[in-house]
Amino acid sequence: MDFSELTRLAGGYAEARAVQAAVELGVFDALKESGDPAHVAQATRGDARATELLLNALAAIGLLDKKGARYSLNETSACYLVRGSPQFLGGMIAFDSSLWRTWGDLEQAVRSGKPARAPDMYQNEPAETERFINAMDSLVRARGDAEIVAETLDLGNVGEMIDVGAGPATYPIALCRKFPALHATIFDLPATLKVTEKFVRASDVGERIKLIPGDYRRDNIPGRYQLAFLSNIIHGEGSEENERLITKIYGSLDDGGRIVIKDHILDDSRTRPSAGAIFSLLMLLTTESGKCYSLNEVKSWLEKTGFERVHEVTLPSPLTSSLVIGIKREP
């Protein structure tokens, strides 16, 4: 790594805050109407000088084009940063912005080993719950995760699946669209399901999706299934809790049923992929004992429980996660 790259990393928060502020202000939406900086300042109720400085910064980092004194959206900003775009990433950007002060406490978290905010899975305040769930949907929609997973998995012989901790139901909705015979149960916390319900009602497969409130830490998994899906769940828990959850899931599956875990799966060095290693710091800040795990760690939990033929399926870029799949032992 050269000096320029080091300084870019050390001050990377400046670029992140420029993007977050621009989305919050509606800068990209205003530019869809006009490239005149005076119009952008008026539309966003910003100071003219300050708005121009922000526009120049956004052009410098590659999110806008500038010709003369006028600015325009480019392919990236038009796709991901304009409200109304099917791939609008604004929900995730707003969530990242809400964690600004939390990341500021990283030094103290490293010293203490304790989270920097209440590890409540964003359940204590309705506004926080909605922002978190919207962020998960925003990221998955923008990146295309659900469609890629639906193309990767063959669920043609699955009648009933359960998604544990489904959040916005983005995956069950995509899977039900792909497989007409599939019915999905979503098992999640009550505050989350109030938001989930909106996504399910707005979908075209809502009649095949059932919502059951519960807490996988305390409650058993309800029902019987041929497939259990966990997306971005194991990184929020310690090893012991993950083993308990996998044991519960094993008991809810038919013989020959599958468990599919989607998460950042690290190599044995726990440094690659880098997205997972860095994401573990967010888990330090926001959970009691969460982190990202290696394939061998996940495999050990599954095989200890009784799952066989455990294997990893690497998902294509721009996804930064993998699937770990195991089959329940048949008698």
Side-chain angles (χ1 to χ4, degrees), residues 203-317:
S203 77
D204 54 351
V205 292
E207 74 282 354
R208 288 193 277 134
I209 298 177
K210 178 168 61 175
L211 309 183
I212 299 181
D215 183 345
Y216 63 70
R217 292 175 176 170
R218 298 195 304 262
D219 304 324
N220 290 325
I221 305 298
R224 300 291 300 179
Y225 308 95
Q226 292 85 56
L227 183 130
F229 187 74
L230 288 83
S231 175
N232 297 327
I233 298 299
I234 63 169
H235 64 228
E237 305 291 351
S239 294
E240 291 183 1
E241 185 60 53
N242 282 324
E243 286 191 36
R244 282 192 290 269
L245 174 57
I246 288 169
T247 299
K248 291 179 182 180
I249 289 171
Y250 188 87
S252 75
L253 288 173
D254 292 341
D255 294 337
R258 280 176 286 171
I259 185 172
V260 178
I261 296 173
K262 180 180 182 293
D263 218 296
H264 296 292
I265 304 298
L266 299 173
D267 66 7
D268 287 339
S269 77
R270 296 183 177 84
T271 64
R272 292 184 296 272
S274 60
I278 295 166
F279 190 82
S280 288
L281 292 177
L282 179 59
M283 294 301 95
L284 169 66
L285 291 166
T286 60
T287 72
E288 290 282 6
S289 53
K291 63 176 184 176
C292 294
Y293 295 94
S294 69
L295 174 61
N296 281 331
E297 288 173 297
V298 179
K299 188 176 181 180
S300 70
W301 306 331
L302 294 173
E303 292 180 341
K304 181 179 178 180
T305 306
F307 286 102
E308 300 177 325
R309 288 177 275 165
V310 178
H311 62 283
E312 180 181 13
V313 177
T314 302
L315 298 171
S317 179

Side-chain angles (χ1 to χ4, degrees), residues 174-195:
L175 290 168
C176 283
R177 284 175 178 155
K178 174 73 173 176
F179 301 99
L182 180 65
H183 289 74
T185 295
I186 292 173
F187 185 60
D188 213 328
L189 296 166
T192 291
L193 289 186
K194 291 180 181 178
V195 184

Side-chain angles (χ1 to χ4, degrees), residues 7-42:
T7 56
R8 189 195 68 79
L9 284 174
Y13 61 83
E15 296 177 355
R17 287 301 293 156
V19 176
Q20 292 163 6
V23 171
E24 291 167 5
L25 289 165
V27 165
F28 301 103
D29 305 307
L31 283 167
K32 191 176 179 181
E33 300 169 357
S34 171
D36 179 10
H39 165 79
V40 176
Q42 183 178 21

Side-chain angles (χ1 to χ4, degrees), residues 48-69:
R49 170 182 165 275
T51 299
E52 186 171 0
L53 293 176
L54 178 58
L55 291 171
N56 283 337
L58 294 170
I61 61 179
L63 291 177
L64 297 178
D65 293 332
K66 184 178 183 182
K67 189 173 183 179

